[in-house]
Amino acid sequence: MRTLRTPEERFADLPDFPYEPRYAEVADGLRMAYVEAGPGDGEPVVLLHGEPTWSFLYRHVMPELAAAGLRAIAVDLVGFGRSDKPADLSDHTYARHVEWTRALLFDALTLSGVTVVGQDWGGLIGLRIAAEHPGSVARIVAANTGLPTGDIPMPEVWHRFKDAVLKAPVLDIARLVQAGCKSELPAEVRAAYDAPFPEESYKAGPRAMPGLVPISPDDPAAPANRAAWEVLTTLDRPFLVAFSDGDPITGGMAPILLKSISGTSGLAHPVIHGAGHFLQEDAGAELGRRIAAFVTST
């Protein structure tokens, strides 16, 4: 597998993101990056981003978790951020992304008692990891995400997004992030989202991910996702649903999660008002406070 590694100088002068990068090998020389905030002996809260962002997305969430005495760990998925970037679209599969992330959390970092926070693809990966390794997971937070099995059609807006990503001669990463936000992103923030991708050859991950979402019952990932649903519906772990009120892509998943997953019972599930798909950008501090309150109260 041919991989690319973004030069470190691309990440100079990131706004509100002073965290030193850390790295771990997860498979055959493939390196994943992550950043941490808060006490090293605090309860671990793993923050998983989605398409096409990176751990920078959680820069306003992490201080809230650290202030509550929690160990915030924001991961860069393979193909994103400072993590290595397999150069071919075919190198990216749903199963591989689950395994790479699992290897980072449980083999390299040897975490236990984890609160898994997933948004967008971070949820598709994080929910699978939680279902397949429940003994290492203490809590789950789903924020504008889901776990599709291909049995329910995706909204039309998602199909338009998928086609745009696949067909664009030049994939404008910052524009995609901006399209998922209610607030206007400053130029330096847009530049931070472009930073991991010096040129088009680095963008196989962002281009591949929409095509990996199961959209038919016979999708290769569908059986594993159905199995994960079976576990999650009865898993005795607190499960917080923290969606925004302005996400046309995954908004419909919130009532399904609340109805289907037993761990949601008895909890106060927040609706983050005035935020879009990337609620970490529009209301990161509020989301951080909600997660911190959930963790410390359960």
Side-chain angles (χ1 to χ4, degrees), residues 58-101:
Y58 284 102
R59 69 194 180 282
H60 298 309
V61 176
M62 295 176 70
E64 302 294 334
L65 302 179
L70 304 172
R71 179 188 178 191
I73 304 168
V75 173
D76 290 343
L77 299 179
V78 170
F80 298 83
R82 291 183 170 100
S83 289
D84 287 348
K85 298 168 180 65
D88 296 326
L89 267 68
S90 60
D91 293 332
H92 297 268
T93 69
Y94 196 150
R96 278 181 171 176
H97 277 278
V98 171
E99 171 55 22
W100 288 328
T101 308

Side-chain angles (χ1 to χ4, degrees), residues 139-225:
R139 303 169 200 81
I140 303 165
V141 179
N144 288 1
T145 191
L147 189 62
T149 61
D151 300 307
I152 299 174
M154 297 290 286
E156 181 58 34
V157 65
W158 183 86
H159 288 283
R160 293 197 300 268
F161 166 74
K162 175 186 175 184
D163 291 344
V165 168
L166 288 175
K167 296 176 182 178
V170 177
L171 189 60
D172 190 336
I173 299 294
R175 182 181 178 186
L176 291 177
V177 179
Q178 178 63 81
C181 299
K182 295 290 187 180
S183 54
E184 185 69 24
L185 302 183
E188 62 269 24
V189 171
R190 294 173 67 102
Y193 283 116
D194 285 330
F197 310 105
E199 55 175 294
E200 292 304 301
S201 62
Y202 286 74
K203 299 178 184 177
R207 287 189 182 274
M209 296 304 262
L212 302 183
V213 176
I215 59 172
S216 65
D218 59 352
D219 185 278
N225 280 16

Side-chain angles (χ1 to χ4, degrees), residues 95-125:
R96 278 181 171 176
H97 277 278
V98 171
E99 171 55 22
W100 288 328
T101 308
R102 182 212 63 79
L104 174 67
L105 302 184
F106 302 141
D107 294 346
L109 299 183
T110 63
L111 298 176
S112 61
V114 174
T115 297
V116 177
V117 179
Q119 185 263 337
D120 191 271
W121 257 102
L124 273 72
I125 293 170

